[in-house]
Amino acid sequence: MTYRVAMDIGGTFTDVVTFDSDARQVHAGKVLTTPDDLARGVFDALERFRLPFDDVSFFVHGTTQGLNALLERRGAKVLILTTRGIGDVHRIARGNRERLFDLHYRKPTPLVGPDAVVEVGGRLDADGREREPLDEDAVRRAARRARDEGFDAVAVCFLFAFRDGEHERRAGRILREELGPERLVVLSHEVAPEWREYERTSTTVMEAYTGPSVHRYLDRIEARFADKGLDVPVHVMQSSGGLVNAGFARRHPLQTLLSGPVGGTMGGVAVSRLLERPNVICIDMGGTSFDVSLVMDHEADVSPSGSCEGFPVLMPMVNLHTIGAGGGSLAYAEGTALRVGPESAGAVPGPACYGRGGTRATVTDANCVLGRVDAGSFAGGGMRLDPDAAHRAVERLAGELDMDPVALASGICDVGNAKMAQAIRTLTVEHGREPGQFALLAFGGAGPMHAAFIAREIGITQVVVPRFPGAFSAWGMLESDVRRDFSMQFLATDRTLDTRALSAALKELRAQADEALTEQGIPEESRSVTHGVDMRYESQDYTLTVPILDTDEITGADYAEVLGRRFAEAHHKRYGHATPGAPVQFVALRTTGHGRVERADGAAGEPAEETAEPVVREVVFDGEALPTTVVARSALPVGARLAGPAVVHEETSTTVVPPEAELRVDEHKFLIITLAARPEMEDLA
């Protein structure tokens, strides 16, 4: 069995990358997503590539099943089981305003209403000691209510369960005994063994809310694999940037929340190391959304916690900022103003130029009107566009706004580019990071088409377009390791740190990581474990994670000083200042187990075929039609240079090189676009 297969299932397209480990060849392509049955789309893609199923040795994919359930509020019906007296935790949440100056701001509506919260007797104190035994009869009554009222899942969130999970384990046994395997039971100490009652409750509820839809999807995938005689483990991308098998994903479905877009970030890590560019901004523009993430010092920007749709999540997550801006984003008039997105035409009916019944103008239609998309070579020639339909859609909107259609098409792209540039500033400028210190890595079906314009907007002078950019997130999944994350509450100060207790806790976490990697089928020689500790200055609320190195000698009082210095360095790097010598606190320990798997890096793309000679045709830039070189990417050898304006088309994407920019093909067959620095940016430098 020689083929390793990765798929990124998006809102419009399903991207596929196959790696033949014998021939060291990589192939990539796209098929339309099947929203009515995503599992069917997976096999449509496999059959499109004519892969011999018996030769598939590894399968990994990113799924948005859980995320879509959350975004569309069509998740499971959840019952919360909690400690008597704290039943309002999920509804009250936190008192802070996310948008301080937004007079219309409202907290997100809780996923579970107050009528679906059951309080039961039993209590632990803050140290995990039992103060009152669990009322098991009350738990059984709650189980009967869940069964009688048709709840799909039960989220168990007891006070101080992160200290000792015994009450939750006993409640879980009772619930599973009463409800059977068809209903999901989620225990907070297994999902998020950390303090902060609301955040832990929110995370547990989200797993219960999204879990059943993820379960059904994985069940369908594995059943179809069995029907096809495919005896190969199904792997899923995690929000933290690592892989897990379907069994783990089924037990911890929330880990797959950002499954699809994270693949692109991990591909960005591989490219960062390959090109020796430590800092990279990854932009993934597909048909529906625009995702931004960062690679810094050759590592993905991962946080121990995050949020989604306004709800906190206590689990490691790649820091992603997503907006509704893609090739399928609909343009519309709001009074006399032009708006673009977030609503998308999706895969059905899609942009007007797809010829599937769409009549409203989209970003892709605008690019078609401007001449930046070649109707005959779109998707490698697998889909022929209808430029006339694109013109009709744009003209219809131009009539509403009393504009010239070509000017409107330029405006649609400009508005979309401005929104995407602002999304990048959210992760850079707003966090004290200068975008000009990064390279821009552009992928997704529409990313390379807009990347140079976005880079110009935010002062970046180099854009990197990898091989098969339209399927880059899927390629990134083949570059990812198996990953399992563990955490443990560990409260101490630099004055009270017990290094023996710290060593014992790290040893316990390492054992958990080794056991988990063994369960994932990772041999001992392919494993590695890293540790960190969440720290903060005394009286602070938020923490930074400081590494604990394998070379550290965790002995004596001076080790607290070692960690204190590392924390001061991290604080200065993150916030621009530090207070060396100030009292610090240790809050939680974090351990990550990595399992290295075979990768496709260094493998060649599919051999270039005979291609037509470059042609010159008019393409609109800044409102002016300019003679533009249009060429197939396979016709550009290593070392080739091309002055803008130019359009480079390939099977999975189209790259646009604006005037006053230059493209070259580097030794890895990546496209490197160099833009002239803006005068105001030179002044800042």
Side-chain angles (χ1 to χ4, degrees), residues 143-392:
R144 288 194 288 271
R145 177 186 170 186
R147 183 179 60 242
D148 295 344
E149 297 184 17
F151 284 93
D152 304 302
V154 180
V156 183
C157 313
F158 290 158
L159 188 64
F160 299 124
F162 67 90
R163 284 295 200 184
D164 187 332
E166 182 55 29
H167 277 193
E168 287 194 349
R169 282 190 290 271
R170 283 160 55 192
R173 286 194 293 269
I174 293 170
L175 290 166
R176 291 175 178 124
E177 176 187 319
E178 294 281 344
L179 297 174
E182 62 274 8
R183 287 181 174 84
L184 180 64
V185 176
V186 182
L187 309 180
S188 75
H189 77 279
E190 294 179 349
V191 175
E194 301 179 36
W195 71 336
R196 301 184 189 273
E197 294 302 323
Y198 167 60
E199 286 77 2
R200 181 160 50 85
T201 299
S202 170
T203 306
T204 308
V205 169
M206 286 180 69
E207 176 144 309
Y209 187 77
T210 61
S213 63
V214 175
H215 280 208
R216 289 190 294 270
Y217 168 73
L218 291 174
D219 287 344
R220 287 196 298 270
I221 288 282
E222 292 193 312
R224 296 201 183 194
F225 267 54
D227 291 342
K228 297 285 186 180
L230 261 171
D231 184 19
V232 57
V234 174
H235 288 78
V236 185
M237 196 77 192
Q238 293 185 102
S239 301
S240 61
L243 310 179
V244 290
N245 60 29
F248 177 83
R250 191 178 283 103
R251 295 193 302 274
H252 301 277
L254 192 62
Q255 299 281 356
T256 69
L257 194 65
L258 303 179
S259 178
V262 165
T265 308
M266 301 316 294
V269 171
V271 169
S272 165
R273 294 170 180 168
L274 190 65
L275 300 185
E276 298 181 351
R277 289 294 305 254
N279 300 324
V280 174
I281 298 172
C282 304
I283 61 168
D284 180 0
M285 182 180 179
T288 305
S289 63
F290 178 80
D291 303 312
V292 185
S293 59
L294 303 182
V295 174
M296 296 183 294
D297 296 327
H298 301 298
E299 297 290 343
D301 181 22
V302 180
S303 290
S305 61
S307 66
C308 190
E309 287 294 284
F311 301 112
V313 184
L314 289 180
M315 69 176 187
M317 302 172 68
V318 170
N319 284 322
L320 274 168
H321 184 57
T322 302
I323 63 171
S329 292
L330 294 166
Y332 60 97
E334 190 175 83
T336 58
L338 172 65
R339 298 285 184 263
V340 179
E343 186 183 356
S344 171
V348 180
C353 61
Y354 283 12
R356 288 185 165 86
T359 58
R360 297 176 63 186
T362 67
V363 172
T364 298
D365 294 314
N367 279 305
C368 198
V369 169
L370 297 174
R372 298 175 185 176
V373 181
D374 187 74
S377 62
F378 189 77
M383 176 187 293
R384 183 163 186 86
L385 301 183
D386 183 351
D388 291 338
H391 279 271
R392 288 193 297 271

Side-chain angles (χ1 to χ4, degrees), residues 608 611 614 631-642 663-671:
T611 57
V631 61
R633 183 167 182 170
S634 56
L636 297 175
V638 170
R641 291 181 178 272
L642 195 62
L663 176 145
R664 66 179 173 86
V665 183
D666 76 356
E667 63 272 24
H668 306 291
K669 297 186 179 179
F670 291 177
L671 306 182

